[in-house]
């Protein structure tokens, strides 16, 4: 046997008898394999290095373009003076002062860090004056400032946990409805009218309130005129509050076109535009012919119901004389247009799928969404009708109807197409109105709620859950906790917030909010950061509504783009408008109408040349620099989670402050 062989003998030869291993051949094979592996590894490293190096120019180019865009935006923006023009400028001054103090404190902390001042030393004469002053500040803040900050943070954390519990309970109700497949049902035993017999259909009034809605008036009128309902049982009111005389003519002509097609539609225009939308609706309901109608459907100018909308909503009133409102769900044609619309979609999906559905099923009450709903006219009249006292006339009439014993039904399966604001400016103004109005209403309705004849449980639900918790406490703790207390604790570490407050609970609640729109899970962190960013606008609106500050009664019509379907196709009326506008005006109008035609031509020319601009927002920018300053301070103390949260939250404020979210104008 060769000396380079090894022999292994096993007694049970039936299984294994002999194994030979040649050492020389094996060693040569291993050496070749090792050489090949080394070469492959070297090529792999070179390939990865090449990819990394090619990535740097792309990053550099991206940062340079962003920097130039921001620089140009700041140079061209003319909105800085207009941004803070109300009494809320007090908040901006507070944030700016807070920022200045934070920067000064950061400089002191950085100096102390590099001087290696040891805070455990007992003060002595060997220490310098600055060192002694710094240690005196440490002692003062620990003894006098930190306890107050701790008490405020604990109060906000308590509110935070209560609100999280409310969201959790709503989530349980949502899962229960899904699990049991609970849906509102039509009372088939009631024979008051039959969907198979159009002669038994009830009389329905359809109202389309609008104000300078040039982009969407044609498609909204077309959608309403195509509703599947007997022509002698329906009347469509186009309630035009437009201040543009040319637009008034265009809308009137559109109504005339549909009248020629046999649609029962009329045009109404108020000469005295008081009360905004509530005044418009109140004026329309005062017409003598309204008494002939049993129900009224309200559709805002950008809402486009399917033809079967009335057949899916009105039958729910059968056999339910105490039912006052049937609310349908909103569906958004531009939810994937940009990051802003995606984040709005998350919020509104939770609102409709969870809040409205759960409250509708278990309480028979929720806030009317102002559109895409059908009211029993008797319920409106007995509740006092439309009032002009707040900017949330929809919530106002819903609360008063609830106090009068009327019940509501929410239909999650009936969806009406509409638009989301695509620019941050439009979204911010919308949110300001939505959060200042409820506080106005709360002040006005509180005595009526307390003295009403509804049960104590319903009173508590209205006061503590509907108004205080969801309309006031949420923006208060969100802004105070994450935009004031958290950066403050970086400079007063004795009052530091626990990690679960700034990380675990907010992430859990954000996940719960995203569940109704599962496709939005990749946007979990942007959603969390953006909600905290919007807290400054919501808090500001809540304070102005509660204390009746300057912008509390501001009403700005949300800007529309005129998208008519998810494929972004234009409606029939919109497709034909450009070619037939002049022809319609010449055919229908007299000499005064021809003068309007000239105005139309004059108006179209500057509209093309007029350039839109993205704005910058000083309040958000000030908060961005404040949070980034606090992040730099937390870096000195090696606060892991706190540093990353403050860093990304500061960057989120920076993106919003520079108007880099939403619609971008070249």
């Amino acid at each position: 046997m060769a000396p380079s062989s090894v022999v292994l003998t096993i007694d049970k030869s039936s299984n294994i008898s002999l194994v030979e291993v040649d050492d020389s051949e094996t060693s040569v094979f291993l050496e070749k394999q090792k050489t090949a592996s080394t070469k492959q590894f070297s090529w792999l490293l070179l390939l990865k290095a090449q990819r990394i190096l090619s990535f740097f120019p792309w990053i550099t180019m991206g940062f340079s373009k962003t920097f130039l865009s921001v620089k140009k935006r700041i140079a061209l923006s003319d909105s800085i003076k207009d941004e803070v023009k109300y009494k809320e400028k007090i908040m901006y001054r507070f944030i700016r002062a807070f920022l200045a103090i934070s920067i000064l404190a950061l400089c002191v902390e950085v100096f102390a860090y590099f001087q290696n001042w040891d805070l455990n030393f007992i003060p002595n004469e060997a220490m310098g004056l600055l060192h002694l002053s710094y240690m005196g500040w440490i002692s003062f803040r620990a003894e006098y400032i930190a306890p107050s900050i701790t008490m405020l943070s604990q109060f906000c954390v308590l509110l935070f946990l209560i609100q999280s519990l409310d969201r959790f309970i709503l989530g349980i109700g949502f899962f229960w409805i899904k699990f049991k497949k609970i849906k509102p049902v039509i009372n088939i035993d009631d024979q008051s009218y039959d969907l198979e017999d159009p002669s038994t259909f009830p009389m329905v009034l359809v109202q389309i309130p609008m104000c300078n809605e040039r982009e969407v008036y044609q498609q909204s009128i077309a959608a309403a005129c195509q509703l599947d309902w007997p022509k002698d049982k329906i009347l469509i009111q186009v309630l035009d509050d437009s201040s543009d005389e040319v637009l008034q003519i265009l809308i009137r002509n559109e109504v005339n076109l549909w009248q020629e097609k046999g649609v029962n539609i009329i045009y109404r225009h108020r000469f005295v535009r008081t009360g905004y939308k509530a005044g418009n609706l109140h004026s329309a309901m005062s017409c003598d012919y309204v008494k002939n109608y049993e129900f009224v459907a309200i559709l805002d100018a950008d809402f486009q119901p399917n033809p079967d909308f009335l057949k899916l909503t009105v039958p729910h009133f059968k056999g339910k004389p105490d039912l006052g409102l049937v609310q349908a769900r909103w569906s958004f044609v531009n939810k994937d247009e940009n990051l802003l619309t995606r984040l709005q979609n998350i919020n509104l999906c939770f609102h409709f799928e969870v809040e409205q559905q759960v409250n509708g099923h278990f309480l028979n009450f929720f806030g009317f969404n102002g559109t895409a709903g059908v009211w029993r006219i008797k319920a409106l009249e007995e509740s006092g009708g439309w009032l002009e006292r707040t900017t949330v006339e929809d919530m106002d009439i819903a609360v008063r109807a609830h106090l009068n014993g009327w019940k509501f039904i929410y239909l999650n399966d009936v969806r009406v197409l509409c638009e989301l604001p695509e620019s941050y400016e439009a979204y911010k103004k919308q949110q300001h109105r939505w959060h200042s109005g409820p506080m106005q209403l709360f002040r006005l309705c509180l005595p009526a709620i307390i003295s009403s004849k509804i049960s104590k449980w319903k009173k508590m639900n209205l006061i503590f859950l509907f108004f205080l918790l969801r309309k006031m406490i949420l923006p208060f703790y969100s802004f105070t906790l994450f935009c004031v207390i958290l950066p403050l604790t970086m400079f007063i570490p004795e009052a530091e917030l626990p990690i679960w407050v700034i990380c675990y609970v907010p992430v859990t609640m954000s996940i719960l909010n995203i569940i109704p729109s599962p496709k939005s899970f990749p946007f979990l962190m942007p959603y969390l950061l953006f909600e905290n960013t919007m807290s400054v606008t919501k808090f500001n609106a809540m304070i102005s509504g509660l204390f009746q500050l300057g912008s509390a009664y501001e009403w700005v019509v949300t800007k529309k783009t005129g998208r008519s379907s998810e494929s972004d196709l234009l409606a029939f009326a919109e497709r034909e408008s450009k070619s037939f506008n002049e022809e319609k005006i010449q055919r229908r109008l007299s000499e005064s109408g021809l003068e309007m035609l000239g105005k139309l031509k004059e108006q179209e020319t500057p509209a093309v040349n007029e350039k839109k601009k993205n704005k910058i927002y000083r309040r958000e920018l000030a908060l961005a620099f404040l949070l980034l300053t606090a992040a730099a301070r937390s870096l000195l103390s090696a606060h892991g989670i706190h540093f990353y949260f403050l860093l990304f939250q500061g960057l989120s404020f920076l993106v919003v402050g520079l108007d880099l979210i939403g619609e971008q104008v070249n």
Side-chain angles (χ1 to χ4, degrees), residues 72-105:
K72 183 178 180 182
R73 180 161 302 173
I74 294 175
L76 295 178
S77 178
D78 56 356
S79 62
I80 296 182
K81 296 181 180 179
D82 299 331
E83 167 59 17
V84 186
K85 59 182 179 180
Y86 307 118
K87 293 182 180 180
E88 293 88 339
K89 62 184 178 182
I90 298 174
M91 175 184 287
Y92 173 64
R93 290 175 178 173
F94 165 76
I95 296 172
R96 198 167 55 177
F98 192 5
L99 173 60
I101 296 173
S102 300
I103 293 175
L104 179 62

Side-chain angles (χ1 to χ4, degrees), residues 507-556:
V507 170
T508 303
M509 291 299 103
S510 297
I511 292 174
L512 184 61
N513 284 8
I514 288 182
I515 286 178
S517 53
K519 293 182 180 180
S520 301
F521 265 99
F523 302 95
L524 174 64
M525 294 312 299
Y527 170 73
L528 173 60
L529 296 173
F530 181 69
E531 281 301 289
N532 290 335
T533 304
M534 286 303 301
S535 65
V536 62
T537 297
K538 297 176 181 179
F539 176 80
N540 180 38
M542 182 267 292
I543 293 297
S544 31
L546 192 62
F547 297 103
Q548 295 181 280
L549 299 180
S551 63
Y553 294 94
E554 179 189 25
W555 181 290
V556 179

